Amino acid sequence: MSRLAACFEKLHKSGKKALIPYVTAGDPEPGVTVSLMHAMVAAGANILELGVPFSDPMAEGPVIQRAMERALEHEVSLDDVLKMVQTFRQSDADTPVVLMGYLNPVEVKGYTDFAREAQAAGVDAVLLVDMPPEEADDLLSALSAHELDMIFLVAPTTDDARIKMITESGRGFIYYVSLKGVTGAGHLDISAVKQQLAKIRLQTALPVAVGFGIKDAESAASIADVADAVVVGSALVRKVEENADSVDNINSAVAGLLSEMRAAMDRC
Amino acid sequence: MQATDNNSDVYQMPDGRGHFGVYGGMFVAETLMGPLAELREAYEKYLQDADFLAELDYELQQYVGRPSPLYFAERWSKQLGGARIYLKREDLNHTGAHKINNTVGQALLAKRMGKTRIIAETGAGQHGVASATVAARLGLECVVYMGAEDIQRQAMNVFRMKLLGATVVPVESGSRTLKDALNEAMRDWVTNIDDTFYIIGTVAGPHPYPAMVRDFQTIIGREARSQILQQEGRLPDALVACVGGGSNAIGLFYPFIEDKDVAIYGVEAAGDGLETGHHAAPLCAGKPGVLHGNRTYLMEDAHGQIIHTHSISAGLDYPGVGPEHAWLKDSGRANYVAIDDNEALQGFHDLTRIEGIIPALESSHALAYATKLAPTMTSEQIIIVNLSGRGDKDIHTVAEHEGITL
Ligand SMILES: Cc1ncc(COP(=O)(O)O)c(C=O)c1O
C-alpha cells in the first residue's frame, strides 16, 4: 500500500482527519527546509506538501509569491527539492510527501526522468497547479510507472462533468480549492464547501482535502468537520517570513500554529 | 490577374482544445477551466452571429478608422535597391497601434457576455491604452496591470490610461515587467470571475485566447491581401512583422498561410545580441516549455525558471510567444529571425527620415529586417511590412538612448 493510502487508512481508523501543511522548499533559505519538515510532523502534520519554487506562480497570492522569490534568490531548483526529500526520508520513512508546483520545471526535466528521480527520492505524489487532466495523459503514465500519485484540484467553478473526469484521473486524494481566488485569500464559505464536497463524494471514494483560506485553529476545525484533510499554506508561510532570520524561530512558530490546529481538529 | 485560392491543403489550427501541434493547450489552474470553456463557447457563437459581426465591423470602421492604408514606400524601396516595400499602416489606427483591433473585439464580446469589468495586462502600455479606450467607449470599469519597471519606462501611456478612467495597478512581483503583469491579471481574473472579462493583448495565454486574438487581428492580413491584389494585381513575395507575443504578426500572416509562394518572416527582438543572452527571442534562441497557460517556446534556464528578457522596445520584452508561431516555426511555414536594439533604432530613423513616418520601436524591428531582405530581391518583387504602431510613445526612449534630454 502507498504511504498516502496507509496514512488515510490509519487516520480513518482512529477517527481523525489529516492535517497537511504546505511550505515552499528553500524558503527563506535551503538549509531550513528539512528540519522544518520534521518539526511539522512532530507538531501533528500527517502529510507534507512541499512547494517547488517557480518564477511565475500564477495561482499564488502575495505570501507564497514572496516565499518563492526568497527560495529563487538561492536558486533552489527541482533537483534541490528532490534532494531535500531524500534527506528527510533518511529519518522519516512514513510521512507522505506531496510536491506542489507548476508544470514547467517538470516539463523541462522530462516526465520520465522526473518520475524516476522523484520516486527514488521518496516523493509520494505530485500536484501541478497548471496541469489539468485533459493535458496529463503522458505525465500520468510516467508517474504511475513509478508509483507516484497525481493529485488534481477541483474548484468552486468545476461542474459535474469535470468533477467526474477529474476524480477518474486523480490518485491519492482529491484537493478541493475552497474559494475563487489565489492562495492566502480570506473568504471561506463553509456551506458552499459542503455542497461541492457532497458532489465530489458522489463520484469518488478517494479522500478529499480542502485548502485555500484556512488560516487558524477555528477554520481548520470547521473544515475538518466536513473534509478528510485540511491543507494550510499561506498562514504557515507567513510565520516563516516573520521569523526568517532564525531557523529555531521558524520551526517553533510554524509548529505552534500547527499544534493549535491539530488540537482544534481532534476536538471535533 | 486574380490570384486563385489553393484549398488543397487547408490549414486548420488549432484543434478543439487549442493545440497547434504539440503547442498551445489550456495549462491553467482548475478554477479557470470552467470560465475558459464559457469564453470559448461565447466566442464561437458570436463569431457566427451576424449582429455581432456587424457591430464589430461598424466599430472597426467608424471608431478605429479601418481599413488602414497599404502604403507603397517608394523612396525607401528605391534607396534599398531591391523589392518594392509596402507598409500596412496599423500606426494610423485610433490609439496608434494594431492592439485596438483586438480590444474592440474582446470588449464587444465582454458586453455580450454581461461582464461589467474588464482587466488587461500591458508592457509598453499600448494594449493598456487600447483597453482603457474601449472601456471608456463602452462604459465598462477597467483595471490595467503593469509591471512597476514598465510604469517607469512608459509614464506617458500610464497617464493616458488614467485620463481614460482606468485604474493602473503597479505589479511589484517577479521581474516587474510584462510577464508579471500577466500573472497578476490572471490572479485578478480567478478572484473576480463572475463579473470580469480578461482582455489578453496578444496571441498568448490559454485556449481560446491565441485563436480568438488571432481571429480579431486577421483583419490586418485580409485587408492587406485584397489591397495588394488591387494595387499590384498579385500577391506579395514576402511578409515581415515583428513578434512580441505575436498578434500583429499572426494578424498579417494568417490569411496568407495557404499561399505557399508567399515567404513569411517573423522578427524577434535580439536586444543586445542573441549571443549575449540579453534578448527577447524565444523562437530564435529559446526552448519549448509551459507558461501562461500554453506550451510554446520560452526564455528559460536549465531548471525551467523563466529568465529575464531585454529589448529596447517594451512591447517585445516578453519571454514567451504565441503557440501558433511555435507551430509555424517547427512546420517550416514561417521563418523567425532577430534584430538587435541598434539595428531597430536604425530602422526607426530610416523610416522617419526617408518616408516621414515615425514608427514604433516594435515595428522598427520589422523595418530593420526588411532593409536586409529587400536588397536580396528584385524590383519586380513585393514585400509587405506590418507597421504595427506609431512611434510617439518611444520618443523619450530614443532620445535617452542617444543622450538627449527633452
Ligand atoms: C506597436 C506594437 N507592435 C508590436 C507589439 C508586440 O505585440 P505583438 O507581438 O502581439 O504584436 C506591441 C506591443 O505592445 C506594440 O505596441
Side-chain angles (χ1 to χ4, degrees):
Chain A
M1 192 188 294
S2 73
R3 281 189 206 100
L4 264 178
C7 171
F8 277 109
E9 192 180 279
K10 194 172 137 206
L11 285 164
H12 189 72
K13 279 189 185 143
S14 60
K16 288 186 175 180
K17 301 299 175 69
L19 176 57
I20 311 182
Y22 165 97
V23 292
T24 302
D27 169 34
E29 51 102 0
V32 168
T33 305
V34 173
S35 88
L36 179 56
M37 290 168 80
H38 288 303
M40 294 192 294
V41 175
N46 307 104
I47 298 166
L48 302 179
E49 247 186 54
L50 201 52
V52 180
F54 182 52
S55 53
D56 294 81
M58 246 165 45
E60 311 309 334
V63 173
I64 296 180
Q65 284 173 45
R66 287 196 299 269
M68 291 197 164
E69 286 178 15
R70 285 190 295 270
L72 287 174
E73 273 167 34
H74 295 276
E75 296 182 16
V76 174
S77 67
L78 179 53
D79 290 339
D80 297 326
V81 178
L82 292 175
K83 278 184 211 127
M84 291 173 193
V85 176
Q86 194 169 28
T87 310
F88 172 77
R89 273 280 164 258
Q90 287 166 3
S91 36
D92 186 326
D94 301 323
T95 308
V97 174
V98 180
L99 293 190
M100 179 164 187
Y102 292 77
L103 179 57
N104 202 47
V106 172
E107 180 101 355
V108 165
K109 184 178 271 298
Y111 296 164
T112 306
D113 286 355
F114 168 70
R116 195 188 55 245
E117 292 173 28
Q119 181 188 33
V123 171
D124 299 281
V126 181
L127 194 173
L128 298 172
V129 179
D130 53 352
M131 180 55 134
E134 285 95 326
E135 303 280 359
D137 287 353
D138 293 348
L139 179 58
L140 281 168
S141 45
L143 292 178
S144 69
H146 291 275
E147 292 168 352
L148 292 162
D149 291 324
M150 177 99 189
I151 290 158
F152 287 108
L153 303 171
V154 172
T157 52
T158 308
D159 65 17
D160 291 350
R162 286 192 60 80
I163 291 178
K164 184 166 190 305
M165 182 192 54
I166 291 166
T167 51
E168 280 166 7
S169 304
R171 299 283 179 273
F173 60 89
I174 296 295
Y175 187 135
Y176 180 64
V177 174
S178 67
L179 49 83
K180 292 177 199 166
V182 293
T183 50
H187 40 279
L188 190 60
D189 175 350
I190 298 283
S191 71
V193 170
K194 245 189 204 162
Q195 275 181 20
Q196 197 73 341
L197 289 192
K199 289 190 195 169
I200 297 170
R201 293 200 198 281
L202 279 179
Q203 309 275 4
T204 183
L206 284 175
V208 185
V210 173
F212 284 42
I214 296 156
K215 51 178 177 293
D216 50 22
E218 191 194 339
S219 46
S222 60
I223 290 294
D225 218 18
V226 296
D228 303 300
V230 175
V231 184
V232 52
S234 296
L236 298 175
V237 173
R238 197 185 293 279
K239 298 281 180 205
V240 175
E241 181 168 57
E242 286 166 359
N243 296 282
D245 40 12
S246 146
V247 186
D248 289 344
N249 291 352
I250 290 173
N251 287 355
S252 64
V254 169
L257 180 53
L258 277 178
S259 317
E260 286 169 28
M261 290 178 159
R262 180 80 264 169
M265 286 165 62
D266 291 348
R267 229 174 279 132
C268 54
Chain B
M1 276 213 291
Q2 268 288 6
T4 51
D5 278 322
N6 175 6
N7 278 334
S8 60
D9 189 10
V10 180
Y11 177 89
Q12 257 181 334
M13 292 275 176
D15 72 11
R17 293 215 317 271
H19 296 113
F20 301 86
V22 300
Y23 302 107
M26 298 172 83
F27 295 91
V28 293
E30 176 57 28
T31 315
L32 290 176
M33 292 299 282
L36 284 169
E38 192 188 321
L39 174 61
R40 192 177 65 232
E41 281 158 28
Y43 144 76
E44 281 166 1
K45 173 179 157 201
Y46 287 114
L47 277 190
Q48 309 291 329
D49 180 290
D51 269 2
F52 178 83
L53 293 175
E55 190 181 4
L56 178 59
D57 229 40
Y58 177 86
E59 294 294 322
L60 289 175
Q61 277 184 41
Q62 304 299 334
Y63 190 64
V64 175
R66 304 207 69 89
S68 69
L70 184 69
Y71 166 77
F72 177 35
E74 192 172 0
R75 244 165 68 79
W76 192 42
S77 302
K78 278 223 178 79
Q79 287 205 3
L80 291 171
R84 299 157 66 79
I85 303 176
Y86 282 80
L87 303 176
K88 182 59 177 161
R89 297 291 308 274
E90 294 300 300
D91 60 315
L92 295 177
N93 294 340
H94 181 38
T95 70
H98 70 290
K99 296 283 179 190
I100 194 136
N101 301 328
N102 168 49
T103 52
V104 163
Q106 287 198 52
L108 291 179
L109 193 58
K111 213 179 69 173
R112 299 272 173 144
M113 291 175 74
K115 307 291 184 184
T116 54
R117 177 175 178 268
I118 64 174
I119 57 173
E121 85 293 340
T122 198
Q126 286 305 105
H127 175 58
V129 167
S131 299
T133 298
V134 295
R137 162 84 181 83
L138 297 174
L140 300 169
E141 184 191 345
C142 180
V143 176
V144 179
Y145 290 91
M146 189 166 183
E149 191 89 6
D150 290 334
I151 285 185
Q152 298 283 318
R153 291 198 279 188
Q154 301 285 339
M156 190 176 79
N157 271 343
V158 175
F159 189 57
R160 283 169 87 191
M161 289 184 263
K162 288 183 179 165
L163 287 173
L164 290 159
T167 305
V168 181
V169 181
V171 177
E172 300 283 357
S173 55
S175 61
R176 308 159 88 231
T177 61
L178 177 57
K179 79 173 177 70
D180 310 285
L182 209 150
N183 292 334
E184 206 53 38
M186 281 282 180
R187 293 179 187 122
D188 177 316
W189 196 35
V190 87
T191 309
N192 301 293
I193 275 163
D194 297 334
D195 68 348
T196 297
F197 189 106
Y198 178 17
I199 304 189
I200 296 187
T202 189
V203 283
H207 183 60
Y209 283 101
M212 177 171 69
V213 175
R214 173 195 73 196
D215 290 346
F216 286 132
Q217 290 292 2
T218 53
I219 184 80
I220 301 171
R222 281 183 278 129
E223 284 177 7
R225 200 171 189 284
S226 72
Q227 287 166 322
I228 200 71
L229 287 175
Q230 198 173 43
Q231 293 174 40
E232 287 273 2
R234 66 183 199 74
L235 292 177
D237 298 280
L239 305 174
V240 181
C242 67
V243 178
S247 68
N248 87 88
I250 205 76
L252 175 65
F253 300 166
Y254 189 71
F256 294 91
I257 285 180
E258 288 176 29
D259 300 310
K260 295 283 152 59
D261 293 336
V262 179
I264 295 179
Y265 298 93
V267 186
E268 294 193 305
D272 294 336
L274 291 185
E275 68 290 350
T276 66
H278 302 154
H279 57 80
L283 288 167
C284 292
K287 284 181 309 185
V290 172
L291 177 70
H292 292 153
N294 68 90
R295 183 178 286 121
T296 188
Y297 281 84
L298 298 175
M299 306 266 299
E300 60 191 347
D301 69 14
H303 302 291
Q305 307 297 350
I306 306 308
I307 57 180
H308 287 225
T309 52
H310 166 77
S311 168
I312 190 167
S313 86
L316 301 184
D317 212 348
Y318 179 65
V321 61
E324 192 160 14
H325 289 289
W327 163 255
L328 289 172
K329 172 190 160 77
D330 284 11
S331 71
R333 177 63 189 94
N335 309 288
Y336 293 89
V337 295
I339 284 291
D340 69 24
D341 287 353
N342 290 329
E343 293 171 317
L345 280 165
Q346 190 58 48
F348 174 93
H349 285 298
D350 287 351
L351 200 76
T352 302
R353 295 297 292 271
I354 299 166
E355 293 288 349
I357 298 171
I358 302 181
L361 282 175
E362 291 81 11
S363 324
S364 299
H365 287 72
L367 296 165
Y369 188 70
T371 65
K372 294 186 177 179
L373 185 63
T376 70
M377 297 165 68
T378 71
S379 59
E380 308 294 297
Q381 292 184 297
I382 300 167
I383 300 175
I384 297 180
V385 180
N386 200 3
L387 188 53
S388 57
R390 67 176 183 229
D392 308 41
K393 69 179 173 62
D394 297 315
I395 298 295
H396 284 271
T397 307
V398 174
E400 196 179 313
H401 192 86
E402 289 166 12
I404 300 160
T405 14
L406 299 182

